[in-house]
Amino acid sequence: MTTPDVTTPVDTTQQTPTVQQLLAGITDPAGREVLDPATGEVVGRVAFGSAEDVDRAVERVRAAQPAWAARADADRIELLQRAADAVEASAEALAELLSREQGKPLNGPNARFEVGACAAWLRATAATELPVETVVDDGETHAELHYRPVGVVGAIGPWNWPMMITIWQIAPALRMGNTVVVKPSEYTPLSVLALVQVLNDVLPADVLTAVAGSGDVGARLSAHPDVDKLMFTGSTATGQAIIKSSADTVKRLTLELGGNDAGIVLPDVDPKAVAEGLFWGAFINTGQTCAALKRLYVHADVYDDVCAALVEVAQAMPMGRGLDEQNVLGPLQNRAQYDIVARLVEAARDGGGKILLGGDPDPSAPGNFYPTTLVADIDDENPLVAEEQFGPALPIVRYDDVDQAVAMANRLDVGLGASVWSSDREAALALAARLEAGTVWINKHGGVHPMIPFGGHKKSGYGLEFGVEGLKAVAVPQVISY
Ligand code: NDP
């Protein structure tokens, strides 16, 4: 079995490629099956790499790094912009492949949205400047802070937003003069290999490559002596394993780990006005989003009305096969995640939670579809609240007193995002300052922006992505002083 050659470009200049053309360059008939989570059909077969494949990939990008770093910054900017053009030229085929492999619908904030975000992040990263900073200049001493490339960056990603997260990791790394080895999730290798192939249509040879495989490929990348920095997005447990395996080489790490985001609804909201924002905050990508709203705390004064408004919105959102244009919610990407959601909803039911909607999957139906589920009157200690469900099931907890809501929101050991919902901006801002989360949104939840830094608190990880801070994270600061 050979590793796929994602350095072979797809010629996107002639015409928009089809999914079959994208797959032709990355699949291996003797490789592992990758299944469509909506139907169980085989989407493609991919060769899983070994530790030796990682070593070879690192050697190649290491050799290419000095020349890439030596290029004028303007060249790298231009190449990232052309990479965005290439993604846009292949957008429909990339979105279709993503939909078939990941399960997310083409429409709604899903597959087409994700491919669009890849192009947008490439362009924004190209446009971001990280100038030399003069830190002291007092007549006696002059000191400047420069940012140099780290060297080789390893990019390890999950299966929920496979293309977008890959771009988040590699675009700033390339912009700063690093070369990159990508390791996609074993569940969604095709989307990422196809994306890397499209990018390599414009990038110089060996600046960017990918090795598909399971956890052992990621583990080798984390321990590799010639990898200088790791960008990791995934679970807290894997993040902890990476901290340990990267210790011997003192690798720099950016860790975007799991979350269990709380949203607090104050009594002054108009329930109908906030319902759709709450819904998408929780159910974007069918709940499989790191910074989705996963625990909703609603004041008793508006509790019943917020629950009723959420049920109304949720009932109007069609779930089904991603390629059917009318759907906005899809299946869980894999059976293991389906089983987690099913177990947690059963725990909620057993604990006396009131199922307002859903909670009744059809085990005989094809695919990993779990119905949109809303659970009210649930205890804050219930596993559906305390554990990350990462799927379409939202627990709604009643509170009477804001201090009690803050204590519940902060009681877990993760803190990626949080949100406050109120018609009083000052009250919302005051509450936001009390929440232990890397981002606090007001009257929205989970939106990210290429210029706004994003990162976690507590066991949700450390390091920032996006914007100027994101460029600094893939660079080594160097002081020049005279
Ligand atoms: P995992 O942590 O299981 O996997 C993430 C990646 O790490 C995969 O590519 C995986 O490979 C790889 N990996 C597994 N073991 C190792 C290892 N020992 N060393 C290095 N790499 C390894 O996460 P999931 O893919 O299951 O994603 C879901 C989780 O990710 C959720 O908990 C979610 O909250 C979190 N997440 C966080 C985000 C954030 O920005 N904070 C964004 C998205 C998700 P393989 O799949 O082949 O085993």
Side-chain angles (χ1 to χ4, degrees), residues 156-160 165 183-187 213-215 218-219 222 232-235 238 241-242 256-259 290 294 388 390 416 454 460:
I156 304 176
W159 45 259
N160 57 346
I165 289 173
K183 180 338 221 171
S185 165
E186 64 185 299
Y187 293 111
S214 30
S222 322
F232 173 73
T233 297
S235 63
T238 306
I242 286 175
E256 298 286 0
L257 309 179
C290 50
K294 293 173 181 146
E388 184 188 32
F390 218 64
L416 191 56
F454 178 70
S460 290

Side-chain angles (χ1 to χ4, degrees), residues 260 295 379-388 395 411-412 414:
N260 194 345
R295 305 176 280 150
D379 192 279
D380 191 49
E381 306 287 327
N382 189 280
L384 180 61
V385 183
E387 294 177 34
E388 184 188 32
R411 80 180 175 89
L412 301 182
V414 285

